Structure formats: C-alpha cells, structure tokens
Amino acid sequence: MTATYFAPLLYVLLSAAALLLGRAVLCLLRLDMADAPRRALFQLALGYLIVAYVVAAIGLAGKLSVVNVIGLLVAGAIVGLPFGRRLTRDLGQALRRLWVALSGRSGAAPLVGLAATVGLVFSAAIYGSGLASAAALLVAGICLLALAALIVHRPGAGLAWLLLAWCLVTFLAALAPPTDSDWDGLAEHLAQAKVYATEGRYEPLWYDHHSQFPALVQMLFTVGMLLQGPALAKLFHWGFAMLSLGAVYVIGDRFCRRGSGKWSAMVLATTPIMGWLAQVGYVDLGTTAYGLLAVLAFLDWRQTGGRRKAALSGVMCGAMMATKMQGIPLFGLLVFAALLIWRRRRAARPWALSTVVALGLTGAVIASPWYLKTWYLTGNPVYPFAYGVFGGKDWGPQEAASYDYDQKQFGVDHLPPPEEYWKLPRLKRLFTGPRSPKNLLLAPVNLTVNPVPFAAQWRNGPAALVPTLLMSWVGPAYLIGLVALVVIWLARRRGHPSEAPGRPFSPVPTAVALLLWLFLPLWLWWLMSMQLDRYLLPSLAILAPVVGWVCCQGEGTWLRGLPALWAAVALGLVTCVAVPCLLYTSGMVDREQYLSSLCEVYEPSVQLNHLVPAGGKVILYGEPRGFYLDCAYMWGDPGHHRLIPYECLTTPQALVTHLRGMGFTHALLNQMQAGSLSPGTPPPVGLLAKAAQEGLIRVIARRHQYVILDLAP
C-alpha cells in the first residue's frame, strides 16, 4: 500500500480515465447532451460502471493484480482519448461556472466564503487536538454563522461556499483509515475488497453472506486496495457523494425551477447521514447516485422521448441494482411509470412501447450478471432473502427466521420475543411492533424527532442519541419542506397564487409531483421492510429537489434564513464527525495513535498478525471486523452460515478438534458481543471456555473486551 497522500492524485487519474471511457460510450450511443454538467455526471457514472465490471471479470478469472488493473485503466483512457479535447472544454466550462457561483458577483463574497471554509477546517483540527479548544470552538462557530449570513445575503454564493466546505471536510475525513464509525466497511465492504486484492481473485466468501450480494462498488474498492489502500477505496464512495449532489442539482435546476438546484444540493448535503456516509467505506452512496441519475435520465426521457434516453435510464437502474438489491424497487417503479406515460402518449413516436422495453431490458441486462452468478452458486438469485421461495446454500430456515426478525426490530416500539412473534398469525405479525398502524402513520414525525429507534445504535438506549444525531439522522428539512409544500398547494387551491413566477406560491411543477409519486411507494416499501435510516437515503434523496424547490420559493423573503441556519448547523454536525479524521489528515497524530484510540479491534488484530504463523487461520466470535487482519480468517458465530455443524459439536473436545481440522490456529473473541469466556455462556463460546479450563486450548492475551485463544494442541 502506498502512502495516504498519494490517494487524491490516484483518484483524480482514475476518475479522468473513467471520464474518458464514459465519454466514448456516450458518443457510441449518440447521447451527446447539450449541457456540460449533465454530460459529465453520466460520463463518470458510466466509466465507473465499466471499470467495475471489467475488474469483476478479471477477478473471476483469478488475474487481479496491479499490472492488470493499471492496464485496464490505460486502455480505457486510450479508448476515450479522441474525445479528450471536448472533455477538457467541459471541465473548463464547469470550473468557470463554479467560480461564478463562488464569487457571487461581489468582491466580499469570495473572501468571506474562503475565510469561513479554511477557518472551519483548521479550527476543527485544533479543537480535536485539545490545544486552545475553547478558542477553536468559538472560531468554528463564527465560521458557520458567517456562511449562514452569506446564504441569507447572497444565496447563490453562500450555498456554493457551504457546499464547497462540506465537500472539503468530507474529502479530508475520507482519507483517514477506517475506524469504529466504519463498522460495515471494516466487516464487509472494505474487508471483502482487501481479501480480493490480496488473493488476486474475486470469489464469494462463504462465511459472509454479504459477499453474495451485487458488488459493483466493492470492485472499485478492490481497485483502491490494489493501487493504494483504504484511503483510495473510500474516495470512490466520496466520489459517489459528489455524483449524488450533482444529480439533485441538475434535477432541481432543469426540471423543478431554475435556481432551485443549489437548494436541492444543499438539502441532500445537509442530511447528517449523507455527511457521515461520505466519510466511510460503505456502498449506500453508490445506490443513491445511480438511483438519482436513473431518475434524471427518466425525467429527460419523459420530456423529449427517445429510446436512447430511456436506455440510459435503464443503464443507471442496472448499475443501481448492481450496487445493492435495494435498487430493485426503484427500477420496477420507473418501468411502471414509463408504461403509464406510454399509455397516455402512445400516439407520439418518441414515446413508443419500444422505449419502455429499452428501459426495462437495459436495466435487467446490466444488473443480471450479479444475480445470475449468485443463483448459480447458491440456488437463490437474491440470497439470502426469499429463502422460503428459493432456498440457499449454507443457509437454513433458522438462519432465515433470525435474519428476518433482526431486520424487523428497527423502528419505534418492540417486537414480541421470537418464540411469540413466530406464533402470531401472518397478518398480525406483519402489523405488529414498529409496523403497527399507529407507528406507520407517525413514522415521518418519529424519524425526524425520535431518530434513535431507526439507527444501528438503537440497542445502546439513551447513549445512542448523540451519535445518531451526528451520523444517522435525516434531519428536519424533509418533514418541514413537505409541510410547507402542502401549505403552498393549499394556498393555490384557495385562489391566492402569485402572478409573478419568482415569488412564493408559484405553480407546483409537474416534476415535483412526479418525484413525490415515485417516493411514496418507496417509503411504504421501507416501512414494511427494514426501517433502518441508512436504507432510506437512496429513496429520500429523490425528495431533495422537492424540498429544494420549496426553499427556492422563499429565497426572496426572510424565510431563507431558516434553511440557511439549518445548513450551518448541519455542516457543524458533519464537521464534528470529521474532527478525529482531521487530526490524522493534518498530521497531528500518526496512524498507530489514531487507530489505537479510535478502532477497538485494531490492537487485537495487530497482535494476531504477529502471533499467527504462515498458513494459519483465525476464527472470529462476536467480531466480524477483520479488515486489519493480514492472515486468513472466518466469522464463527452461528447464524452467519452453516459451515460449522455446531448442533453436532456438543463437547469442548469435539468443537476444538473440528476447528483444528478446518485449519484454525487462533480465535478472537469479543466478549461484549459474543458473551464472556465462561462455562455458563451458551455454546460455542461456553464450550471454548470449558476447553480452556480443561487445557485443550490456551488463553494467550486479554485486552479490554477481547480474548485471543491459541487453538494449537
């Protein structure tokens, strides 16, 4: 792995190659869009898509290496090189537009914006170091208020500087190594990419059912792990945040109302969960970006018709489904909406049935390799879901029931105990606990004012409130914006619309209504599935242009002060999350200090790296985060898989003998998650405790909640 400071340069080079490759594809499809921002968004998204698929193909062939990946990127750049001049012109045009937005046609705006942005970053780093904390906090507050005041005084320039500050803070945070706040990155997304890069091939990790999921973003993470390390991998996820902001900007500005794009981007950026995700190695922003681009292409097709634009929406839908299965509902909705539009306009050639077929067929074809692969390997295309329909390898009814029960626990109120829950009639089971009629109706309010039950930290009780507000909150903008939209609609119904289209109560655009209709079924699907706030973001992002349009209605009044104030507060929340990362990227602490203090599994992992012999293997109990292990490892907890027949291993001798036969030399136990190492703990941890008492295995290290066991005879 190369040094962290090479990651930005490598990311720029990789993105340039992806842009060139995407440009070539757009030209081959004869989709030469008029405006440069929209063209650049689709070029980069297409480039990432192609790179991910080719890397997956190379991995399936067992040929993943630095040389092969660099060769792929060079070949892609060569293919797009004939279009480089046009691409350079587009980038120049984009930079000029950015400067115009930042300058605000005023000499003071750039000075205030630059001082506030730089001051915020430096004061946050100083505050985290503990030096002059009170003064640093005061400076950060002044910088945030200055940005809010700039939004009120000059909305265009103020919002541009706030978005630039948001991008800078999240960019610097993304360069830091993953820590406890990056749980799924350490357990799945980055960890899988590291295994693929280390072993030189892409194949399912049977102990982790998540590795059977579509893995478009993991393939980009694999490129990052091969060429640099986690910093470059996380920058790809940050890049999808930029694509998401660009997509909502274009949707708002082009289809809702000119001038509302900047407000739309502000609404999405100031969603606290968006700010946290831009700093970590998850894949949700890939789903968000491709979903928004699918909606953007769909709106373009709805306006002008044509098979190519419908096919482009289908390609983005396919990429979305290739990132997460969560993209399937939006794809189905867009195909259904396209059928409705065709039925109304079928007499006009640009909206012929072939355009609907193009949307559906391209989406299905692009996504199908991932689902066909999983179907071939497990017998279930959506493994491990729908077990009752398809079944699935190394999975069973007990695992399926436990998985479903765990997912249904999110939301206000509690489910009955499992034994009672599964005895309930099917209909009553469907509408109990968080899905009771009352909780379903109050969900928008609860999600806004009582977010903890919808967050991954809900089991921590009151202690989860602050982390949830910082990282897993949707914020108040969406609920307030939708209430304001209802007020605007009622005012128009009562006959008090303004004659001037630039003032409040101007007509509600058709695109706003369409976005609302797209969101409603997705909202209902989220309510009835897993009410985890992070899973709502790709659907919630569709509302950002709607709320942005509402904010734009009040731009000429004192009401613009409300979103300006929230934007400053939200930027402050994002910066709070980024403070530890800024300590690392600023050089105030080194990597060892940073990880030792912020990643609880790091030191046990380093210790195991020194203890495990060549060819050794570690089994993990209560701790799926194996990213920092440089040796082979496997999740050992029952419920993840059926690779270990725990039901047959009822004695310490039987369990230890079986683990040794599988090649395990050591075990890592997180007692906070798996239970204490004592004979009274349920198996398999209780059996390991008895084995240690009987001298079959040895406890060789204890640190905080972690225990390292030597399984050798």
Side-chain angles (χ1 to χ4, degrees), residues 101-119:
L102 294 172
S103 65
R105 298 173 182 172
S106 167
L111 296 177
V112 173
L114 180 62
T117 300
V118 175

Side-chain angles (χ1 to χ4, degrees), residues 398 621-622 636-639 644-652 654-656 659 669 673-691:
Q398 184 177 351
Y621 287 103
D637 299 280
I644 302 175
Y646 286 115
E647 64 277 6
C648 301
L649 306 174
T650 56
T651 65
L655 177 61
V656 171
L659 293 179
L669 169 65
Q673 301 292 330
S676 62
L677 188 66
S678 63
T681 303
V685 175
L687 291 178
L688 290 175
K690 292 179 181 178

Side-chain angles (χ1 to χ4, degrees), residues 313-498:
S313 180
V315 170
M316 295 297 107
C317 284
M320 174 181 56
M321 293 185 289
T323 302
K324 290 188 79 169
M325 284 184 275
Q326 191 180 346
I328 296 175
L330 179 57
F331 172 60
L333 273 176
L334 291 180
V335 172
F336 180 71
L339 282 169
L340 293 180
I341 292 172
W342 164 76
R343 186 177 178 184
R344 293 180 58 187
R345 305 180 180 181
R346 57 182 177 267
R349 184 176 179 182
W351 292 278
L353 182 60
S354 60
T355 63
V356 181
V357 174
L359 193 161
L361 190 60
T362 52
V365 168
I366 293 294
S368 62
W370 304 98
Y371 296 88
L372 292 174
K373 172 198 67 87
T374 301
W375 198 352
Y376 173 75
L377 293 173
T378 69
N380 182 349
V382 291
Y383 182 90
F385 303 103
Y387 178 82
V389 178
F390 298 103
K393 183 179 178 181
D394 289 326
W395 202 251
Q398 184 177 351
E399 288 81 5
S402 175
Y403 199 59
D404 182 65
Y405 183 83
D406 287 343
Q407 290 190 327
K408 295 293 177 60
Q409 290 191 79
F410 289 89
V412 174
D413 210 348
H414 299 285
L415 291 176
E419 58 274 9
E420 296 179 19
Y421 176 77
W422 292 111
K423 291 179 181 178
L424 294 173
R426 185 179 181 86
L427 188 61
K428 190 172 182 179
R429 191 166 68 235
L430 188 64
F431 292 102
T432 190
R435 285 153 199 84
S436 66
K438 181 189 73 172
N439 289 328
L440 292 176
L441 289 173
L442 293 177
V445 177
N446 285 327
L447 190 64
T448 304
V449 302
N450 182 26
V452 172
F454 304 94
Q457 305 95 339
W458 69 272
R459 290 181 176 85
N460 297 334
L465 180 60
V466 173
T468 298
L469 292 177
L470 289 173
M471 300 187 298
S472 297
W473 188 28
V474 302
Y478 296 95
L479 181 61
I480 295 174
L482 291 178
V483 171
L485 179 64
V486 172
V487 171
I488 292 172
W489 181 76
L490 289 175
R492 284 194 54 78
R493 293 276 294 180
R494 291 181 180 181
H496 298 292
S498 172

Side-chain angles (χ1 to χ4, degrees), residues 48-124:
Y48 283 161
L49 172 65
I50 296 168
V51 169
Y53 270 79
V54 177
V55 169
I58 294 173
L60 288 171
K63 302 295 183 180
L64 276 176
S65 67
V66 174
V67 173
N68 287 340
V69 169
I70 291 177
L72 160 66
L73 296 169
V74 170
I78 292 173
V79 169
L81 203 58
F83 311 100
R85 182 176 299 177
R86 180 68 178 273
L87 183 60
T88 304
R89 191 161 59 245
D90 286 350
L91 292 175
Q93 181 182 344
L95 289 174
R96 285 192 297 272
R97 292 178 64 171
L98 176 62
W99 170 246
V100 170
L102 294 172
S103 65
R105 298 173 182 172
S106 167
L111 296 177
V112 173
L114 180 62
T117 300
V118 175
L120 178 66
V121 174
F122 276 98
S123 60

Side-chain angles (χ1 to χ4, degrees), residues 441-587:
L441 289 173
L442 293 177
V445 177
N446 285 327
L447 190 64
T448 304
V449 302
N450 182 26
V452 172
F454 304 94
Q457 305 95 339
W458 69 272
R459 290 181 176 85
N460 297 334
L465 180 60
V466 173
T468 298
L469 292 177
L470 289 173
M471 300 187 298
S472 297
W473 188 28
V474 302
Y478 296 95
L479 181 61
I480 295 174
L482 291 178
V483 171
L485 179 64
V486 172
V487 171
I488 292 172
W489 181 76
L490 289 175
R492 284 194 54 78
R493 293 276 294 180
R494 291 181 180 181
H496 298 292
S498 172
E499 295 181 2
R503 295 181 182 176
F505 312 127
S506 61
V508 178
T510 307
V512 168
L514 179 60
L515 292 173
L516 286 170
W517 280 113
L518 284 176
F519 174 75
L520 181 59
L522 296 173
W523 167 253
L524 296 175
W525 168 80
W526 179 81
L527 286 175
M528 298 311 298
S529 57
M530 185 178 182
Q531 294 180 14
L532 177 62
D533 45 19
R534 176 164 55 90
Y535 290 176
L536 181 62
L537 181 64
S539 304
L540 198 66
I542 296 174
L543 286 184
V546 176
V547 181
W549 176 82
V550 173
C551 293
C552 193
Q553 297 297 295
E555 185 176 320
T557 71
W558 62 270
L559 291 172
R560 67 179 179 271
L562 296 177
L565 182 61
W566 164 244
V569 171
L571 179 59
L573 297 178
V574 171
T575 307
C576 284
V577 176
V579 163
C581 306
L582 296 177
L583 287 177
Y584 172 80
T585 52
S586 64

